[in-house]
Amino acid sequence: TNSNKSKRGVVDMKRETFFLKAVVVLMGLPVVALCIFIIPEIAAFLVELVPSLTYLQYPFMIGLYASAGIYFVALYQVFKLLGYIDQDLAFSDLTVQVLKNIKRCAAAIGGLFILFMPLIFMMGDLDDAPGLVLIGLIIIFACMVIAVFAAVLQKLLQNAIAIKQENDYTI
């Protein structure tokens, strides 16, 4: 009956990770929509508000698309992490590397938005839309929280792997 319980636990875990993989895919869909419909509008809006900054329209768009690309890399890393969990490799160096990549992606997106903040502030100020600045700040804050959380998980996982290896050597 013990092996029966462990098999049932693996099936439950695969079902849960399948659900999380579906959520990861669903998290990507709004960003795809933003990339197709909203980012060009935002860049055009910047030029409309501040015609003297026309030269920044395309770098701003490229920066927003770059942050979306980094976001998709992070989602792919989460997908890989869930795959490792399915393969019973949760406590491995592979998962440590994935967490390190997620941390880097979150920090990169936060850094890009920090660079965008002067433009976002200018757009919010000229259009009398302080919500734009708030959205930018929320994105930066969320990215930094994710980066710190991934760093903490990475460190905890490294410690757990070290303890597991010590125990394996002891036996």
Side-chain angles (χ1 to χ4, degrees):
T1 61
N2 242 0
S3 68
N4 221 6
K5 285 183 181 178
S6 73
K7 284 181 183 178
R8 198 171 340 126
V10 170
V11 171
D12 287 343
M13 184 63 74
K14 287 189 185 247
R15 187 178 8 184
E16 291 164 357
T17 56
F18 176 77
F19 172 75
L20 290 173
K21 286 177 183 178
V23 169
V24 168
V25 170
L26 290 175
M27 287 174 63
L29 294 178
V31 177
V32 169
L34 282 171
C35 288
I36 294 170
F37 300 111
I38 305 298
I39 289 177
E41 296 289 325
I42 291 172
F45 184 62
L46 170 67
V47 172
E48 187 180 306
L49 278 177
V50 190
S52 64
L53 296 180
T54 302
Y55 64 95
L56 288 178
Q57 177 181 10
Y58 293 110
F60 186 61
M61 270 180 68
I62 290 168
L64 290 176
Y65 281 125
S67 64
I70 295 167
Y71 177 76
F72 287 118
V73 169
L75 288 182
Y76 173 71
Q77 294 298 313
V78 171
F79 214 84
K80 278 176 55 174
L81 179 65
L82 293 170
Y84 293 147
I85 291 169
D86 276 347
Q87 297 168 18
D88 204 23
L89 297 171
F91 292 98
S92 70
D93 290 330
L94 295 170
T95 55
V96 171
Q97 186 59 44
V98 166
L99 286 169
K100 189 182 296 185
N101 292 340
I102 291 169
K103 174 182 68 176
R104 289 178 181 159
C105 288
I109 293 170
L112 281 172
F113 271 86
I114 288 171
L115 289 175
F116 298 153
M117 278 313 288
L119 283 176
I120 293 171
F121 182 79
M122 188 183 311
M123 288 171 64
D125 190 40
L126 290 173
D127 196 43
D128 198 27
L132 242 105
V133 175
L134 185 63
I135 289 171
L137 291 173
I138 288 171
I139 291 171
I140 292 168
F141 180 73
C143 287
M144 294 306 134
V145 167
I146 291 168
V148 169
F149 186 68
V152 168
L153 283 179
Q154 177 189 343
K155 189 68 175 167
L156 286 172
L157 191 57
Q158 285 172 330
N159 291 342
I161 290 170
I163 290 170
K164 182 180 181 269
Q165 286 174 346
E166 281 180 27
N167 288 341
D168 289 345
Y169 291 138
T170 305
I171 295 172

